[in-house]
Amino acid sequence: MESSERKERAKRLIGYGLFFEIADLMNENTETLVGYLLNLNNIEDDHLKHFHSLGFDETLRRNEKGLKTKNKVKYEKSRNHELIKKGALLEIADFFIERDILKYDNEVVLGYLLEYSKMTSRDKISFYNMGKVFLEEREKVKEKKKWWKYY
C-alpha cells in the first residue's frame, strides 16, 4: 500500500472512529462491538430509517451547539490511534456482513452506534460471544494465509 493510500485510509478510519467517540463507545471491548456490528445482518431495512433519524438528529444537535469532535494536537497521535482501531472495526465487519454498511450514509452508522447504549446486558454478552468467535475465526484464516505464502 502506497503512502498516499495509507494516509487516505487512516483519514477514513479516523472518521469512522469518530462515530464510536460520539456514541461514547471508545471504552467498549472489541469483541462486543464487532458482534454488535455483525448484528446488522439481522436488522430490517425499515429500522435503518430509525437509525438514520437518530444519527441525523445527533449531527444536527452537534452542529447547532457548535460541538466539534475533540481534535486537539496535544493528544492527537494517541487519540487518532484509538480512533483508527475503532474505525477499523467498521471495515472488518463490513467485509463480512451481507449488507454493505459503509455504503449507508454516516447518519445510519452513527444512529446504529447510538442505539448500542439501549442494549441489555444479555444482548451485550451475546454480541461479545458472537464477536469473539468471529475474531478467532478471522485470526485462524489470517494465520493460514501466512503459512500458504511459503508453499
Side-chain angles (χ1 to χ4, degrees):
M1 191 181 276
E2 277 186 37
S3 177
S4 62
E5 290 173 333
R6 276 199 320 271
K7 285 179 183 178
E8 282 303 311
R9 181 170 182 261
K11 276 182 171 176
R12 191 175 59 249
L13 293 180
I14 288 169
Y16 296 156
L18 290 173
F19 298 147
F20 290 90
E21 185 176 84
I22 291 168
D24 198 24
L25 298 176
M26 293 303 287
N27 294 322
E28 289 294 327
N29 67 50
T30 299
E31 293 85 354
T32 305
L33 290 175
V34 168
Y36 183 65
L37 292 170
L38 292 172
N39 186 57
L40 267 171
N41 275 334
N42 303 323
I43 304 296
E44 295 178 19
D45 288 338
D46 289 345
H47 213 70
L48 294 176
K49 292 176 186 170
H50 170 70
F51 298 139
H52 175 80
S53 178
L54 281 175
F56 184 76
D57 290 348
E58 178 63 18
T59 302
L60 267 181
R61 185 186 75 75
R62 294 180 76 75
N63 288 341
E64 286 172 358
K65 290 191 174 189
L67 294 173
K68 299 282 183 198
T69 51
K70 307 171 215 159
N71 208 0
K72 304 287 183 218
V73 176
K74 278 185 185 174
Y75 64 104
E76 187 173 334
K77 190 172 183 177
S78 64
R79 178 174 165 265
N80 283 353
H81 181 71
E82 290 303 312
L83 291 173
I84 287 170
K85 282 178 18 181
K86 291 297 186 202
L89 298 180
L90 276 173
E91 263 190 5
I92 291 167
D94 185 59
F95 186 75
F96 289 95
I97 61 176
E98 292 169 12
R99 60 172 59 143
D100 182 6
I101 57 176
L102 298 179
K103 79 173 180 183
Y104 296 117
D105 57 29
N106 293 343
E107 285 81 10
V108 172
V109 176
L110 177 57
Y112 184 69
L113 292 175
L114 288 169
E115 281 286 286
Y116 180 84
S117 65
K118 297 179 182 174
M119 297 294 114
T120 65
S121 295
R122 177 180 262 173
D123 290 336
K124 289 178 182 179
I125 290 169
S126 176
F127 293 138
Y128 172 83
N129 290 330
M130 185 187 331
K132 184 176 179 187
V133 168
F134 172 81
L135 291 172
E136 286 171 354
E137 290 300 315
R138 184 173 178 268
E139 198 57 39
K140 287 178 189 175
V141 169
K142 282 173 58 178
E143 197 62 34
K144 272 186 187 176
K145 285 181 181 179
K146 202 184 298 183
W147 281 104
W148 279 107
K149 282 183 185 179
Y150 300 112
Y151 294 102

